[in-house]
Amino acid sequence: VGCDRSKNLADICGEKNFQAFVCDALSVPICSGSCDACISIAVIHHFSTAERRLAAICELARLLRPGGTALIYVWAMEQEYKNQKSKYLKEKNDSKDKEGEINIGGGQRPLSDQMPDSSSQDSACSDGLLNDLNDEGCAAKLVADSRLPVHTNRTSFHSQDLLVPWHLKGGTKKKGESIDTVLCPAGSKESQELSPVFHRYYHVFCEGELEAACRSLDCVRVQKSYYDQGNWCVVLEKL
């Protein structure tokens, strides 16, 4: 049985006669202790706080029966590991790179001009910090500096918290949608047409981060932790 936040993806599964339903990864409508195994692939890195990422792992553990196992994959900060580039970096070429870049007002802001590392970003805009700001100008600067960097596709990561541009080929803007636009790669049939680009949030995990989060839970045991083609992976067992 599969589940996803996207109704369209769930519908595609239904068309292929697979069992799938729409739900939230933090609240899966399945009875506790009823699953022999759970798989979470490329999901948890989309949650924007450490607390929500841990809650997603807790939800997987809740679904498992005692002795059941879960496999978790998240995107790694380290796209070069043990002197080996990941498949993500190896597949870089001019066409794909241009397709992924965002062109807004002359180009994206350099990463150095944006928040270089937002490991403390979750608390940066807390009420306590805002109350310590004595003037409006300082508060405005805080908001401006809290912008997430936009990642350049097929390159190494420079921040753990970032936006990855997703280029929708041949897509059309629906009424009411707020999207940015880019030019398609030169030479393509849509080279002179504007196509939508969606910014998707990612928290890329550093080495040991996912494993540490899993080990903080008393109800599971880490069976295995490893690196696989630009992803950090953990296999858990429900105690």
Side-chain angles (χ1 to χ4, degrees), residues 75-80 117 157-160 204-206 230 232:
W75 214 352
M77 178 84 170
E78 302 84 356
Q79 289 298 306
E80 290 191 42
D117 180 61
F157 295 115
H158 300 285
S159 172
Q160 278 194 270
V204 289
F205 282 67
C206 289
W232 287 114

Side-chain angles (χ1 to χ4, degrees), residues 187-207:
S188 68
K189 64 179 181 180
E190 305 126 325
S191 59
Q192 301 302 318
E193 297 176 8
L194 291 175
S195 298
V197 166
F198 295 88
H199 296 74
R200 197 174 191 190
Y201 171 83
Y202 282 79
H203 171 85
V204 289
F205 282 67
C206 289
E207 182 174 6

Side-chain angles (χ1 to χ4, degrees), residues 30-43:
I30 295 178
C31 293
S32 300
S34 61
C35 298
D36 296 315
C38 292
I39 299 174
S40 175
I41 306 294
V43 173

